[in-house]
Amino acid sequence: MKTIKIKPDKYYIIHAGQVWEGAGSSGLLQNCTVTIKKGRIERVSTGGLKTEINDAQHDAQVIRLPEITLMPGLIDCHVHLAFDSQNLLKTVEEWTTNPAATRSRIKQWMQDSLSSGLVALRDGGDLYGFSLQTREAQKTGQLEGPKILSPGTALYKKGRYGHFLGPGIETLADAKDQIAALAEQKVDHIKIVVSGLVSFKEYGLVGKTQFTAEELRAIVDTAHRYGLPVMAHASSDEAVSTAISAGVDSVEHGYFVKDATLKQMAESQTAWLPTVAPLGNLLTAGHVPYPGANLDVIRRSYEGQLEAINKAVNYGVLLGIGTDAGANQVYHGKSYLDELKYYQKAGLSNEEILSAATSASAKIVGMHEAGHLKPGKLPLFIGVRGNPLQNLNQLKNIEFIAYI
């Protein structure tokens, strides 16, 4: 795999056999050349490399990829960099007893994510702000990998689910104070925990909704006044509908959502990250995550989520790709293709899936200059062999990555 970190003071000429420019494109362009100038895609042209070389600066870096298909880089809209995909309780303990081990693993997971074609990761937060630390280390050049978007810590109501995601709040004043403090740290978004977890013991059971509609609306309005979008952990139809009514920007998970709420989601243009991998990967591995958990219960929840995704597409919901990487059996980077294939099982076409993974996810995370391989966009793209529009398995082996 060839990896290029694009420098704004260099000129690049990349020749590829094919280019998929992204959502809305009519198939693949053939025999293409992509030029990059001042840290932006300058042009995408067909017809070979000769003209571009003649026009280029003498110090241009020329990259020849005649057997490669270039396409926009992938984005994971929901990860937890501080989680290890195996044992959450042990990981949370390690955050205080051996934080260096956590940072070391995060460094590896950043590389795993990049190698999987991911150019950006939106984190869901952790109690000690490891993802925010990672973002800052990346900014200072201490760490390489996909762009990190971090909320620092998450907001949840003390005594409810979420103690490993943030310090917790008791009152609306607490919530406003935490948002102000997070804004001071220049976080990228606010994460709020609206509901509890989905039970793997009893089908359809979800931890209670943590906030009233009025409380949640006040919290969301506060975040928006600071210019911060809100991602909401919400499962159960009640929690999802409450979150949408409060004006959150994206619903995370959204298990057991009903048709009327999917239509509400579409009408309000609220994005949805269904995160199927935390269920599907348990089923694939035949892994029972805790005593009393039942794989048949997990299977019913999984099948219901696939059905809801299919309906969401028909209703016009903005769907992105979020894996919940770090959850049990959901591996950073490596599980991204799993999530794409679950969408395939839900009935989406490969083009719909890849559009969700690129342009739609870029919109959801606020990276409006990414998501397409077109002039004026940021040079965040990947290369694979063959045609990913025909076969998603081409994404198993990423041959080329351009990132910033």
Side-chain angles (χ1 to χ4, degrees):
M1 181 183 69
K2 186 176 182 63
T3 303
I4 296 292
K5 183 172 183 180
I6 301 299
K7 298 179 180 178
D9 59 345
K10 289 198 69 172
Y11 192 88
Y12 300 85
I13 302 171
I14 304 171
H15 177 64
Q18 301 179 112
V19 167
W20 181 58
E21 294 181 295
S25 304
S26 54
L28 302 181
L29 301 176
Q30 303 295 320
N31 195 21
C32 296
T33 302
V34 178
T35 59
I36 301 169
K37 184 178 182 180
K38 295 182 179 178
R40 297 275 175 173
I41 297 172
E42 180 187 35
R43 54 183 165 176
V44 180
S45 57
T46 58
L49 193 57
K50 183 176 179 181
T51 301
E52 305 297 343
I53 290 180
N54 290 340
D55 290 346
Q57 302 171 3
H58 293 297
D59 61 349
Q61 181 173 349
V62 179
I63 302 168
R64 292 175 171 83
L65 304 168
E67 298 179 354
I68 298 300
T69 300
L70 297 181
M71 60 172 281
L74 308 172
I75 296 172
D76 194 333
C77 297
H78 192 122
V79 306
H80 289 278
L81 282 169
F83 299 178
D84 76 343
S85 310
Q86 295 287 335
N87 189 326
L88 179 59
L89 294 178
K90 182 180 177 181
T91 299
V92 171
E93 180 181 345
E94 183 190 76
W95 292 347
T96 54
T97 60
N98 191 4
T102 299
R103 294 188 184 96
S104 178
R105 280 205 305 270
I106 289 174
K107 183 177 181 180
Q108 180 59 55
W109 292 328
M110 291 279 284
Q111 289 305 308
D112 290 346
S113 296
L114 190 65
S115 297
S116 299
L118 290 160
V119 296
L121 307 171
R122 184 178 67 154
D123 196 86
D126 62 84
L127 178 58
Y128 295 106
F130 281 101
S131 67
L132 192 61
Q133 297 168 32
T134 302
R135 188 196 71 178
E136 294 308 297
Q138 190 178 53
K139 285 182 177 180
T140 57
Q142 301 172 55
L143 193 62
E144 296 292 339
K147 178 181 176 65
I148 300 299
L149 300 160
S150 173
T153 58
L155 278 70
Y156 82 100
K157 189 163 283 190
K158 286 183 178 179
R160 302 286 186 88
Y161 167 75
H163 72 277
F164 52 88
L165 295 172
I169 60 173
E170 294 181 341
T171 66
L172 187 55
D174 290 343
K176 292 180 178 180
D177 287 345
Q178 277 196 29
I179 292 170
L182 290 168
E184 185 71 21
Q185 296 177 62
K186 296 183 171 28
V187 298
D188 299 290
H189 52 272
I190 295 297
K191 165 75 175 292
I192 184 163
V193 181
V194 179
S195 74
L197 285 176
V198 171
S199 173
F200 292 163
K201 294 181 179 182
E202 182 179 341
Y203 176 74
L205 181 64
V206 180
K208 291 182 179 180
T209 302
Q210 299 192 15
F211 301 95
T212 66
E214 292 75 18
E215 288 173 330
L216 197 55
R217 166 60 74 180
I219 291 169
V220 172
D221 285 349
T222 300
H224 286 171
R225 280 197 292 273
Y226 283 100
L228 294 169
V230 178
M231 63 186 294
H233 167 113
S235 286
S236 84
D237 191 67
E238 176 197 3
V240 173
S241 182
T242 299
I244 296 169
S245 297
V248 303
D249 298 278
S250 68
V251 169
E252 317 295 310
H253 315 305
Y255 298 108
F256 311 116
V257 65
K258 296 179 181 178
D259 285 21
T261 303
L262 287 172
K263 292 176 182 178
Q264 179 191 11
M265 199 181 290
E267 290 166 1
S268 63
Q269 298 185 326
T270 306
W272 185 27
L273 290 310
T275 62
V276 188
L279 302 182
N281 285 15
L282 289 174
L283 294 172
T284 299
H287 180 72
V288 178
Y290 54 81
N294 187 309
L295 288 178
D296 287 336
V297 170
I298 296 171
R299 188 178 306 280
R300 289 180 65 191
S301 303
Y302 160 81
E303 290 172 350
Q305 194 74 333
L306 296 188
E307 183 179 346
I309 291 169
N310 183 280
K311 291 179 179 179
V313 173
N314 293 328
Y315 293 144
V317 172
L318 175 61
L319 277 174
I321 304 294
T323 62
D324 206 5
N328 203 320
Q329 302 298 308
V330 186
Y331 299 96
H332 294 274
K334 299 173 184 178
S335 290
Y336 194 83
L337 183 57
D338 297 335
E339 188 74 13
L340 299 188
K341 289 187 174 182
Y342 294 134
Y343 278 47
Q344 196 175 53
K345 290 180 180 179
L348 278 69
S349 70
N350 288 354
E351 185 168 4
E352 286 174 324
I353 294 167
L354 292 176
S355 295
T358 55
S359 60
S361 289
K363 180 178 181 180
I364 290 168
V365 304
M367 292 179 61
H368 302 293
E369 296 174 311
H372 284 88
L373 205 170
K374 291 184 175 181
K377 296 289 186 178
L378 293 172
L380 296 166
F381 54 89
I382 62 175
V384 300
R385 293 186 182 274
N387 184 350
L389 294 172
Q390 294 178 353
N391 187 353
L392 292 179
N393 282 325
Q394 302 298 343
L395 297 174
K396 281 185 177 179
N397 298 301
I398 307 297
E399 301 282 347
F400 177 80
I401 301 172
Y403 72 108
I404 55 177

